[in-house]
Amino acid sequence: MCLSIPSKVLEIDENNFAVVETLGVRRGVSLDLIAEPVEVGDFVLIHVGFAMEKIDTQYAQESLKLYQKIADDMQSGVIPPEE
């Protein structure tokens, strides 16, 4: 199973390589697999170092809120660990 969390584009260099932020973690990804233009501030879904799809900002922000709630609930014990 693969879970892709929306990542915000922070920088793009001349080689179409971007720095993105995912829940506070920064990483580099290639934008070469996305056909449409990507700009700083856009949200993308990434997989193994490649941005695979540009997504709507509102959808990305709603998704990030849900992921954060899940993480908070797991940390507080509301969602128990799998056995």
Side-chain angles (χ1 to χ4, degrees):
M1 179 178 167
C2 180
L3 176 67
S4 186
I5 299 172
S7 302
K8 186 173 186 177
V9 177
L10 303 177
E11 303 171 23
I12 302 173
D13 72 14
E14 65 278 353
N15 296 313
N16 211 30
F17 193 80
V19 174
V20 299
E21 185 267 327
T22 310
L23 296 176
V25 177
R26 291 182 180 203
R27 69 192 73 204
V29 299
S30 171
L31 299 175
D32 288 343
L33 298 180
I34 298 181
E36 63 185 297
V38 177
E39 299 177 6
V40 170
D42 286 341
F43 284 87
V44 294
L45 296 178
I46 58 175
H47 180 67
V48 294
F50 290 89
M52 304 299 290
E53 181 180 1
K54 183 171 135 179
I55 62 171
D56 176 73
T57 299
Q58 182 178 348
Y59 175 76
Q61 290 171 340
E62 289 170 4
S63 295
L64 288 169
K65 285 180 190 176
L66 288 173
Y67 288 124
Q68 189 61 57
K69 178 163 178 21
I70 291 168
D72 293 345
D73 287 351
M74 290 175 73
Q75 191 167 25
S76 69
V78 172
I79 298 175
E82 285 190 43
E83 297 181 20

